[in-house]
Amino acid sequence: MAIAEMPRPAPKADEVLIRVRASGICGTDVHIYNGGFTASYPVVPGHEFAGEVVAVGPECSRVPVGARVAVEPNVPCNNCPECLRGEHHFCRNMIVPGVNRSGGMAEYVVVNERGAFDIGDLSFVEGALVEPLSCVVHATERLGVGWAEHVLILGAGPIGILMGRLIRARGAARVDYLERSPGRLARAAAMGLGEVYSSSGDIADKVYDAVADASGSSALVAEAANRLTRPRGRVLVFGVPHKSGQIALDHFRIYREEISVIASFTSLKNSIQAIDLMKSKTIDVSDVVSHQIKLSECPDYILRMQAGDGDLRKVTVTDFTN
C-alpha cells in the first residue's frame, strides 16, 4: 500500500465527478489487500463513500453539480443474461469502484450517474454507511426474518451490529451475538437485543430459528448449520470468506431436519432503502463509526483491521489533506 499523487479524473458522458468527503474502510478492503477477494490490481480501494458532485458529464440528467450523494458502487451493464433476469449484482460486466476501477480512497473519484444517490441532510459520514447498510438490507431480505424469531449473529463488528438492529426492526424477539473480541462483545451486550457469547461452546444445541454469519468464518457457518439451528432453521452466509474457504456440513442433518443454507452477496439496488432507514431513524448508525482518520493513515488502519483490533468499529477517512 502507498499514498500517491494521481491526476484528477474527468467524468465521461454518463459519469459524475465526486469530491470525496467520507470513505469507509471495509473488511472487504482487507481481503483485497490480502489477495483473498477478486480485484483488478493495482487499484485505489474504497467502495463505501459519499461526497459532493463537482462536475457531471453531458448525458447526466438526474444528479446536479452540488448534490450531496452516497455511491452504490455496483454499476451493472443492464444487458447481460443476469441483468436481464433482474439479478444485477451478478452482472458479468460489473463496474465496481474500489474493486476493478479507482475507488473512494482519494480526493476525487468518478462514478456512473446511476450509482449516485442524494442523501439530503444526512452527514457525509452517514452517507458512507449507505453501501454497507444496503448490503445488510439485501442480506436480511434473503434471510427472511419472521415475527418473534430467535436469531444468532456470528460477529459483532459494524456489519453485525447493523444487521442485528435491522433484524430486530423486522420483528425478531431476540437477537443474540457470538463474538470473541471483548470490546465488540461488550458493545453488543450494551445494545440489549439478546444474549452475548464469547464461545460457541456456551450455546445449547438447536436453539435458533436463524443464524446469520457476519464473520466470514467457515467453521462457524458449519457449526451454525450442523448444531445451532432448530429443525427447518436457516443459516445465512454473509460475512466475506477467503476464496479458498470450505464449509463442512452434516449432510444427514441438513437433509433430515430441512436446514436451509442461504447466501447473500453485496446488495441488489437497496441504496434508497438504506438512505430512508437512516433518515427515518429506523436504524441508528450514530455509534457505528469509531474512528475518523486522514487518508495518509489509511494503510495503518487496514493493517490494524487485518490484525483483528477489537477497538475498531467502522473506520472512515474524512480528511483528504496532505
Side-chain angles (χ1 to χ4, degrees):
M1 290 181 286
I3 305 296
E5 292 287 339
M6 299 178 65
R8 181 184 298 188
K12 296 179 181 177
D14 59 350
E15 294 179 331
V16 299
L17 176 65
I18 296 173
R19 181 184 178 189
V20 182
R21 295 300 187 91
S23 186
I25 304 176
C26 176
T28 300
D29 295 320
V30 179
H31 284 282
I32 290 172
Y33 171 67
N34 289 326
F37 189 88
T38 302
S40 299
Y41 303 98
V43 64
V44 176
H47 57 274
E48 304 176 353
F49 58 96
E52 180 184 0
V53 175
V54 294
V56 301
E59 294 180 6
C60 295
S61 59
R62 181 174 60 83
V63 179
V65 170
R68 304 171 75 257
V69 298
V71 172
E72 183 175 273
N74 302 326
V75 179
C77 71
N78 291 332
N79 199 41
C80 70
E82 285 72 21
C83 284
L84 295 175
R85 286 198 297 265
E87 298 169 345
H88 299 89
H89 57 328
F90 298 140
C91 173
R92 300 182 185 186
N93 309 300
M94 187 81 78
I95 297 173
V96 188
V99 178
N100 60 15
R101 70 180 295 176
S102 293
M105 293 299 177
E107 292 177 281
Y108 293 90
V109 63
V110 292
V111 302
N112 192 288
E113 184 190 33
R114 287 186 285 126
F117 293 84
D118 194 297
I119 60 173
D121 294 333
L122 292 177
S123 70
F124 288 119
V125 171
E126 290 172 317
L129 293 172
V130 167
E131 193 278 339
L133 182 55
S134 71
C135 293
V136 170
V137 170
H138 177 57
T140 306
E141 289 175 343
R142 291 280 294 157
L143 185 60
V145 178
W147 288 107
E149 286 196 322
H150 290 190
V151 181
L152 173 68
I153 297 180
L154 308 175
I159 289 293
I161 295 300
L162 290 173
M163 176 169 280
R165 289 171 176 168
L166 186 56
I167 285 174
R168 188 62 177 270
R170 288 176 65 97
R174 194 178 83 198
V175 180
D176 295 349
Y177 280 92
L178 174 62
E179 171 59 61
R180 64 183 180 183
S181 164
R184 289 184 170 185
L185 196 66
R187 287 190 288 272
M191 289 197 301
L193 301 182
E195 300 296 324
V196 297
Y197 301 94
S198 60
S199 170
S200 61
D202 296 331
I203 304 175
D205 292 352
K206 301 183 180 182
V207 296
Y208 293 105
D209 300 289
V211 179
D213 176 59
S215 72
S217 168
S218 300
L220 286 180
V221 170
E223 188 166 13
N226 296 340
R227 187 176 72 81
L228 299 179
T229 49
R230 294 173 177 154
R232 303 205 80 180
R234 291 110 55 212
V235 177
L236 178 73
V237 180
F238 180 49
V240 180
H242 194 277
K243 288 188 292 186
S244 63
Q246 300 289 317
I247 302 172
L249 296 178
D250 181 338
H251 193 166
F252 188 79
R253 200 243 166 172
I254 300 297
Y255 153 74
R256 178 63 179 81
E257 299 187 9
E258 296 187 353
I259 305 300
S260 297
V261 179
I262 306 157
S264 179
F265 172 65
T266 191
S267 64
L268 183 57
K269 298 297 180 185
N270 300 108
S271 292
I272 292 175
Q273 292 168 292
I275 291 169
D276 284 347
L277 285 168
M278 283 194 275
K279 283 183 174 180
S280 65
K281 306 299 182 183
T282 302
I283 301 299
D284 179 16
V285 300
S286 62
D287 60 348
V288 174
V289 174
S290 61
H291 292 71
Q292 297 185 35
I293 65 171
K294 293 183 176 182
L295 180 63
S296 59
E297 298 176 284
C298 186
D300 290 338
Y301 276 84
I302 287 178
L303 294 176
R304 285 179 62 180
M305 291 174 63
Q306 180 188 43
D309 189 333
D311 290 332
L312 305 180
R313 295 193 294 278
K314 175 60 69 176
V315 178
T316 303
V317 177
T318 54
D319 185 347
F320 294 85
T321 60
N322 292 328

